[in-house]
Amino acid sequence: MQYILSMSNNLYKKAINGIAWTTFQSIGVQISSLVIFLVLARLLAPEDFGLVAMANVSIAFFGLLTADSLSAAIIQREHLDKEHYDSVFWLNTFLGLLVGICVYLSSEYIAHFYKQPELERIIDVLIICLICRSFSSVQISILRRELNFRSLAIRTLVGQPIGGIVGITLAFKGFGVWSLVIREVIVSLIQLILVWISSDWRPGLRLSFRHLRELLSFGISMMGAGWVSFLNKRLDNFLIGYALGAIALGYYTVAKRLITILTEFLSSSINKVAWPIFARMKTDHEKLKHAFYQSTQLKNLVVFPVFLGVSAVAPELVLSVFGDKWQPSILLMQGLAILGLLKSILSYQENLMVALGQAGWRLALQFTMAIANVIAFIIAVEWGILAIIISYIAVAVTLSPLWTFGVYRCANIEITTYLSQYVASFVGSVAMVTAIYALRHYLGDLVSHHVVLIVSIILGVLVYVFSIRCLYPIPYKFVLTTLSSIMPRRKKSSTLN
């Protein structure tokens, strides 16, 4: 903790404030998203979710042709002029509109490729989301660069619930898949309006190719990483939709959605704060390394029990929350939870690489992962979705040493010190999962799955906390110290003599 506190007081306060606001955002957004998602899952069919997943993966693919990577360079670059902001904005705007036209012209062929005629109209409407992102990416990068996570949190906290209410209302009225489509459009429009209100910056009528070239080196690496990231994060939806159809993709999407919510809540919120903080500390390598060690330990103490806990209680969770019609998603959720844990570890390592300006390393590693995942899919698709997930887990485990080596090369970390940050969270999580499986063995046939779910969660939390406190008191105290730094303190009242 002392190395984190050794940052400048102002930067430390911004970091803690950023963590608090991104955590608040994640809690609010993910709770509302989860509630909305659960209601929609009970009202809609698996095929509806599959169709929207097909459309989104197509939109995301074309979105790679925009200049979002240059917006990311705004966060990393130390010195910027107004011309940098203006040039990136107008390039983004032009490419966003151009790509939107290309998507519209291609939607008929995409629908034919998937053998889903209704997909054409869905894609045409979701083009609005792509254009909204192009109009707001620079403002979002500026707010992140300034560590103004409060404005970003408000933007998301307002947009998601309103879109969710619209989507649920339409689902009750029998709009089917269109309740999901219109929900996404409403969210994108509201967030676009709010980010323009939150940011004081307005684009000037300037387009400087010289300033674009200054951002190009980092931007190209980030663009390449974006393409590879698409292969790693979206290729599964694309291939499953094509090979197995909309219904199978629907089951997969629902299982994956819960894991995505957890990832956004636990992992992405920390990553969003860590990237600009690491970027500001990059000139002091020693402090950066120790801050990375301790933040890694803190993150592990949270993500390990949550992801492994969800995998352990998945049978009761799916039946209690989603209903019997989603039973095929149980095994998929268990596998995706383990895969989500592995990806959260790798993404945090990538965060450090990018903050140090080593986006090339990230690109090479993600490209390796993408190629391996494609090969794994081709081998496993014959045996179904579960086999595909297991093959992805095997790829992540096999290639994870390459990520650790990449961090070692970029930041010169001590491997043994870094790996020791995983011991406490792993041991505590194993004890927790063992307790949950033992409970199911003895109570599973005696009480309802609702009761087993509630008791399993309570028992798992108690076992995990007790294990960490007894076996690893130093990490336990570290978490308490960090939490006390985030929580507001009461001012002591003074008395007059």
Side-chain angles (χ1 to χ4, degrees):
M1 188 69 183
Q2 62 191 31
Y3 292 96
I4 297 178
L5 292 173
S6 63
M7 294 186 286
S8 69
N9 188 50
N10 184 48
L11 182 57
Y12 174 71
K13 287 181 178 179
K14 286 186 176 182
I16 293 298
N17 186 58
I19 292 173
W21 270 106
T22 50
T23 301
F24 176 66
Q25 170 191 342
S26 293
I27 292 174
V29 170
Q30 302 312 327
I31 289 177
S32 63
S33 295
L34 182 60
V35 172
I36 293 165
F37 177 65
L38 296 180
V39 175
L40 291 173
R42 286 189 171 271
L43 294 174
L44 302 175
E47 185 177 8
D48 296 330
F49 288 92
L51 285 171
V52 173
M54 290 175 178
N56 279 332
V57 74
S58 303
I59 295 290
F61 174 77
F62 280 95
L64 295 172
L65 301 175
T66 63
D68 277 353
S69 56
L70 292 182
S71 299
I74 290 174
I75 301 175
Q76 195 271 343
R77 187 177 174 86
E78 188 172 355
H79 300 291
L80 290 168
D81 301 323
K82 292 181 180 179
E83 287 79 2
H84 286 111
Y85 299 120
D86 296 339
S87 300
V88 173
F89 175 82
W90 291 115
L91 181 61
N92 255 336
T93 299
F94 171 74
L95 290 178
L97 293 173
L98 180 62
V99 170
I101 294 173
C102 293
V103 175
Y104 179 79
L105 296 175
S106 304
S107 59
E108 178 183 354
Y109 303 101
I110 296 173
H112 179 73
F113 173 80
Y114 280 111
K115 300 178 182 178
Q116 300 287 344
E118 193 175 4
L119 194 59
E120 179 181 354
R121 290 188 300 154
I122 294 174
I123 292 174
D124 290 343
V125 175
L126 287 178
I127 292 172
I128 298 172
C129 301
L130 174 65
I131 296 175
C132 286
R133 191 179 70 182
S134 296
F135 284 147
S136 61
S137 61
V138 172
Q139 285 88 341
I140 292 173
S141 295
I142 292 174
L143 292 173
R144 290 185 65 187
R145 176 183 173 87
E146 296 172 349
L147 303 181
N148 188 357
F149 294 99
R150 177 179 179 274
S151 297
L152 293 173
I154 293 174
R155 158 185 169 264
T156 310
L157 288 169
V158 173
Q160 289 286 354
I162 294 176
I165 292 172
V166 173
I168 291 174
T169 302
L170 293 175
F172 270 113
K173 291 182 177 295
F175 279 76
V177 67
W178 288 102
S179 59
L180 297 173
V181 175
I182 296 174
R183 171 183 173 270
E184 293 196 18
V185 172
I186 294 295
V187 171
S188 295
L189 290 173
I190 292 175
Q191 291 186 350
L192 171 64
I193 294 171
L194 290 180
V195 79
W196 273 78
I197 294 174
S198 301
S199 175
D200 295 330
W201 176 82
R202 293 294 180 267
L205 296 176
R206 291 180 291 256
L207 180 61
S208 170
F209 291 101
R210 178 176 67 85
H211 287 83
L212 287 175
R213 282 195 299 269
E214 291 176 355
L215 300 174
L216 199 59
S217 177
F218 184 81
I220 288 177
S221 296
M222 290 299 293
M223 180 179 291
W227 279 87
V228 177
S229 178
F230 170 84
L231 295 177
N232 283 322
K233 296 180 180 180
R234 301 274 194 167
L235 187 64
D236 51 354
N237 286 354
F238 170 78
L239 294 174
I240 291 171
Y242 174 72
L244 302 177
I247 295 177
L249 181 57
Y251 286 122
Y252 180 79
T253 300
V254 167
K256 187 178 180 180
R257 177 58 180 158
L258 181 60
I259 304 305
T260 301
I261 289 175
L262 291 176
T263 302
E264 183 66 27
F265 172 49
L266 297 173
S267 183
S268 298
S269 59
I270 298 176
N271 289 351
K272 289 174 184 176
V273 178
W275 180 6
I277 294 299
F278 287 157
R280 292 193 181 195
M281 296 179 66
K282 62 185 178 183
T283 55
D284 194 331
H285 297 290
E286 198 62 27
K287 290 181 180 179
L288 175 62
K289 283 197 302 182
H290 288 282
F292 177 65
Y293 294 149
Q294 293 181 320
S295 60
T296 297
Q297 184 181 68
L298 178 62
K299 180 179 179 180
N300 290 341
L301 288 169
V302 177
V303 300
F304 264 75
V306 172
F307 280 109
L308 294 181
V310 168
S311 181
V313 302
E316 293 78 19
L317 182 63
V318 171
L319 295 177
S320 299
V321 177
F322 295 99
D324 293 339
K325 70 177 180 180
W326 293 103
Q327 190 168 355
S329 296
I330 292 176
L331 291 176
L332 307 184
M333 185 178 294
Q334 289 180 312
L336 288 171
I338 297 173
L339 184 61
L341 173 60
L342 294 171
K343 287 187 174 181
S344 72
I345 295 172
L346 302 183
S347 68
Y348 201 64
Q349 294 174 331
E350 292 173 2
N351 232 20
L352 182 63
M353 298 179 203
V354 175
L356 293 174
Q358 300 295 325
W361 263 102
R362 179 194 183 198
L363 175 60
L365 291 171
Q366 287 196 344
F367 182 75
T368 303
M369 176 75 78
I371 296 301
N373 280 338
V374 171
I375 296 173
F377 180 92
I378 294 173
I379 295 174
V381 67
E382 180 181 351
W383 291 277
I385 303 179
L386 182 60
I388 295 171
I389 296 173
I390 294 173
S391 69
Y392 284 170
I393 294 173
V395 168
V397 172
T398 303
L399 297 183
S400 59
L402 292 179
W403 264 254
T404 303
F405 178 74
V407 173
Y408 167 76
R409 286 291 303 270
C410 295
N412 195 30
I413 65 169
E414 298 172 10
I415 299 296
T416 54
T417 302
Y418 172 69
L419 294 179
S420 68
Q421 312 306 318
Y422 290 84
V423 176
S425 54
F426 176 76
V427 173
S429 298
V430 169
M432 175 195 70
V433 171
T434 302
I436 291 174
Y437 275 98
L439 175 70
R440 179 185 294 128
H441 176 74
Y442 289 106
L443 292 183
D445 297 330
L446 301 177
V447 295
S448 68
H449 48 255
H450 300 85
V451 175
V452 175
L453 176 63
I454 295 172
V455 177
S456 295
I457 293 174
I458 296 174
L459 177 64
V461 171
L462 293 176
V463 170
Y464 181 75
V465 173
F466 180 77
S467 301
I468 298 297
R469 183 175 183 179
C470 293
L471 300 177
Y472 303 97
I474 295 178
Y476 179 80
K477 292 179 181 177
F478 173 52
V479 173
L480 295 181
T481 303
T482 304
L483 290 176
S484 66
S485 300
I486 298 176
M487 297 297 292
R489 298 179 182 178
R490 295 181 179 179
K491 294 183 179 180
K492 294 182 179 180
S493 59
S494 58
T495 58
L496 296 176
N497 294 328

